[in-house]
Amino acid sequence: MTYALPADAALLRPVRIGYADARNRLFMAPLTRSRAQDDGTPSDLAVQYYTQRAAAGLIISEATAVSASANGAYLNTPGMYTDRHEAKWAEIAESVHEVDGLMFVQLWHVGRMGHPDISGVHPVAPSAIAADLTTHTPSGKQALPVPRALETDEIATIVDDFRAAARRAVDAGMDGVEIHGANGYLLHEFLSDVVNQRTDRYGGSPENRARLAAEIVEAVAAEIGADRVGLRISPGNGAGDMHEVDDVAAYEALLSRIAPLDIAYLHVLIDPDVPAFGTLRGLWSGPLVLNTGREVDTRFCQLEELAEWGVISAAAVGRAFLANPDLIDRLILGAELNEPDVATFYAPGPVGYVDYPTLAEAELKNA
Ligand SMILES: Cc1cc2nc3c(=O)[nH]c(=O)nc-3n(C[C@H](O)[C@H](O)[C@H](O)COP(=O)(O)O)c2cc1C
């Protein structure tokens, strides 16, 4: 598969993201790779993996748990809640900065997607409604259990875990954090009018369903500065067995509430052709990052148009960055892209992680 960006492509122009200038508008989307150490410390290979991809305008890290109990959706996912975690993230930040990269850490609570055999605790969610899914645990594939509905007074602790993890990320030298409000995890579960059946101030009306995500954005912005905070949402996305009959109202409430903060960016995972995108785009005047998830040729063509028209500030790209550390160079040259190997997405070790060749390496090998 190939796609050639025009030499003066809008996606190749710099863009202001909060306090920082990204050197282009092709961002690396967050990608869980399940290669962290057993205690949630990123592996040594993670330093190499992210540094290889530092030509992205912004690297958004894999989802990273804000506490031990926020973890548990997959094996070997990283955390940002111990000194040891922070020290390894600091190595990653330093290495990415050495090659002029920019990097935010995606902060995560898995909600009902957790399994106690991975996290050691029973998963929590807005309501006791299970996702009809399985996950890989140390003893093999298992169904996700019915989560425990959070008590109202437990929620402040979760907000504080996000705040503390954001502090650690910045102390580690990261440029900022992205709050994970997408893909069926805790914040998305609260936003849903189906999965969230609460009757307290965190459920019911759109404003109430948006409250947890808004409180987290506000707390993190107060801790590290709004210009270092991004928020990812995926309205209507069915990942994680999510259901939303109304995929707009809670998001409208969320964006209206956080608009005055002037956060670094809003990251939306959505098909830009669905009506919800137009509605939310109309509400958001700050930087907007879009992740579509389409075939390579149609996708880059569409993203370039949207960037040129000023509809989006930047595009986040996942699998193409996973398989092409030199994606930007390849798009400039219109060179063939490496295909991502699905079998090694979540497998341990270097294969399918740090061994995707750059063009120069591929040419050397073929010479
Ligand atoms: C292996 C893999 C891991 C992913 N991990 C995350 C993650 O940690 N956080 C997140 O928000 N999205 C995650 N996603 C979703 C991607 O960020 C992105 O939305 C999706 O891959 C579609 O974009 P793409 O077609 O450019 O890959 C993951 C996707 C894949 C394929």
Side-chain angles (χ1 to χ4, degrees), residues 126-127 152 196-204 208:
S127 305
T152 308
N196 180 349
Q197 292 294 324
R198 301 178 72 87
T199 52
D200 65 359
R201 64 181 189 277
Y202 291 94
N208 281 357

Side-chain angles (χ1 to χ4, degrees), residues 2-280:
T2 61
Y3 180 75
L5 280 172
D8 63 345
L11 288 172
L12 296 174
R13 294 178 208 147
V15 63
R16 186 95 188 154
I17 290 293
Y19 84 104
D21 286 316
R23 55 180 149 173
N24 61 61
R25 296 164 188 243
L26 281 163
F27 293 1
M28 179 173 163
L31 294 164
T32 290
R33 304 305 313 275
S34 286
R35 285 158 167 94
Q37 300 174 44
D38 288 341
D39 72 344
T41 304
S43 69
D44 291 332
L45 287 174
V47 182
Q48 190 185 351
Y49 166 73
Y50 284 118
T51 308
Q52 286 172 336
R53 288 157 179 78
L58 173 69
I59 295 175
I60 305 162
S61 82
E62 66 210 273
T64 300
V66 296
S67 67
S69 51
N71 213 336
Y74 306 96
L75 294 167
N76 294 96
T77 49
M80 186 64 93
Y81 53 88
T82 71
D83 291 349
R84 198 159 176 267
H85 298 162
E86 189 181 320
K88 184 56 83 176
W89 284 114
E91 264 183 60
I92 295 171
E94 189 182 358
S95 180
V96 165
H97 287 153
E98 264 169 25
V99 286
D100 297 326
L102 197 65
M103 183 164 180
F104 277 34
V105 173
Q106 191 188 49
L107 296 181
W108 191 37
H109 189 305
V110 302
R112 69 177 190 156
M113 294 292 285
H115 195 286
D117 288 2
I118 301 175
S119 62
V121 295
H122 199 80
V124 293
S127 305
I129 302 172
D132 187 12
L133 293 169
T134 58
T135 191
H136 287 279
T137 72
S139 55
K141 229 181 197 185
Q142 292 194 57
L144 293 176
V146 177
R148 179 175 67 77
L150 280 161
E151 301 291 340
T152 308
D153 61 7
E154 285 178 280
I155 292 177
T157 310
I158 292 177
V159 175
D160 199 56
D161 288 341
F162 273 87
R163 183 203 57 72
R167 166 52 52 201
R168 280 192 183 273
V170 168
D171 287 353
M174 287 291 167
D175 298 292
V177 301
E178 177 177 285
I179 310 296
H180 195 344
N183 293 354
Y185 300 106
L186 187 72
L187 276 58
H188 192 185
E189 291 159 17
F190 271 82
L191 284 158
S192 163
D193 54 344
V194 177
V195 170
N196 180 349
Q197 292 294 324
R198 301 178 72 87
T199 52
D200 65 359
R201 64 181 189 277
Y202 291 94
S205 69
E207 289 73 20
N208 281 357
R209 284 183 277 123
R211 189 180 308 278
L212 174 61
E215 286 182 352
I216 288 172
V217 172
E218 287 164 359
V220 169
E223 181 70 33
I224 64 170
D227 56 358
R228 291 178 184 269
V229 181
L231 169 67
R232 187 176 219 209
I233 55 172
S234 58
N237 188 309
D241 191 30
M242 276 298 292
H243 300 278
E244 286 168 295
V245 174
D246 181 349
D247 60 357
V248 174
Y251 295 92
E252 285 180 317
L254 173 60
L255 299 193
S256 305
R257 177 162 165 178
I258 64 170
L261 292 175
D262 253 340
I263 61 170
Y265 65 86
L266 175 70
H267 182 178
V268 191
L269 166 54
I270 202 166
D271 176 346
D273 297 328
V274 305
F277 178 69
T279 307
L280 298 176

